[in-house]
Amino acid sequence: MRRAAIFGGSFSPFHEGHRNLVREVLRRGLADEVWIMPCRRNPLKDGSTTWDDRTRLEMLRREAREIDPERVRVSDMELGMPEPSYTCDTARRLMAEHPDVRFRLLVGADSYLRFEEWRDWRWLEEQLSPIVYPRPGYGIEHLREGWTLLDDAPQTDISSTRIRNEMKTKS
């Protein structure tokens, strides 16, 4: 059975921190593939995106080819689902459509710290053996049971929000 890590987000833009994370998950063998899943609107974030769905998909597909065209794929599934995007709905659909794949969930420390706010978070935790990566400024004092922490993964002090804000300042 193939193992795939679901990596969701707005990816507006996809940056070096995202690239490093995808590479690290594959390098460590935590998944055979990483499926990048851009969403239209995250219910726990402000929903700001700089580019339209088509542009983001094109950028992500280019990134996937550069990282590892055999093991990184981009899915537009969430872009066609009702807003806001709920990971539990996406995961259930993925599991139904791909019964030959064992999915894991890949989240940042910022999302980990708010995980109990996610819809059906207990189900996600039980079904998807989540992986959490550290982010500067988001300390993890206690790792939940069943989670994998990429504690010594290279960290990049960058965020899509900061990039968007810098772009606004320059224009």
Side-chain angles (χ1 to χ4, degrees), residues 24-140:
E24 189 68 12
V25 166
L26 294 172
R27 185 188 72 77
R28 290 184 188 212
L30 296 172
D32 303 312
E33 303 171 345
V34 174
W35 294 16
I36 300 171
M37 314 252 339
C39 68
R40 190 165 284 135
R41 186 173 73 81
N42 179 326
L44 298 177
K45 293 189 178 180
D46 70 7
S48 298
T49 59
T50 305
W51 298 280
D52 61 67
D53 294 347
R54 184 172 156 234
T55 302
R56 285 188 298 142
L57 280 170
E58 288 173 9
M59 287 190 300
L60 291 169
R61 287 180 178 131
R62 185 173 52 248
E63 292 284 350
R65 284 191 302 271
E66 289 179 18
I67 296 169
D68 188 331
E70 300 297 317
R71 300 190 309 157
V72 180
R73 71 163 57 175
V74 177
S75 170
D76 63 356
M77 177 184 287
E78 281 198 355
L79 298 176
M81 293 174 69
E83 288 186 45
S85 298
Y86 292 106
T87 303
C88 59
D89 297 334
T90 303
R92 285 183 175 102
R93 185 168 163 193
L94 283 169
M95 292 166 77
E97 291 181 10
H98 303 279
D100 60 326
V101 178
R102 172 78 175 121
F103 289 100
R104 298 193 74 182
L105 179 63
L106 183 56
V107 301
D110 55 330
S111 294
Y112 174 82
L113 295 174
R114 297 183 68 184
F115 198 71
E116 290 182 10
E117 297 175 41
W118 290 35
R119 181 177 282 185
D120 290 344
W121 65 271
R122 282 189 168 93
W123 181 86
L124 288 167
E125 199 169 61
E126 291 169 8
Q127 296 296 312
L128 300 180
S129 305
I131 303 165
V132 61
Y133 59 96
R135 291 188 63 191
Y138 298 94
I140 297 175

Side-chain angles (χ1 to χ4, degrees), residues 153-165:
Q155 293 186 41
T156 307
D157 189 16
I158 191 166
S159 74
S160 296
T161 302
R162 191 169 88 205
I163 292 170
R164 286 193 304 272
N165 290 338

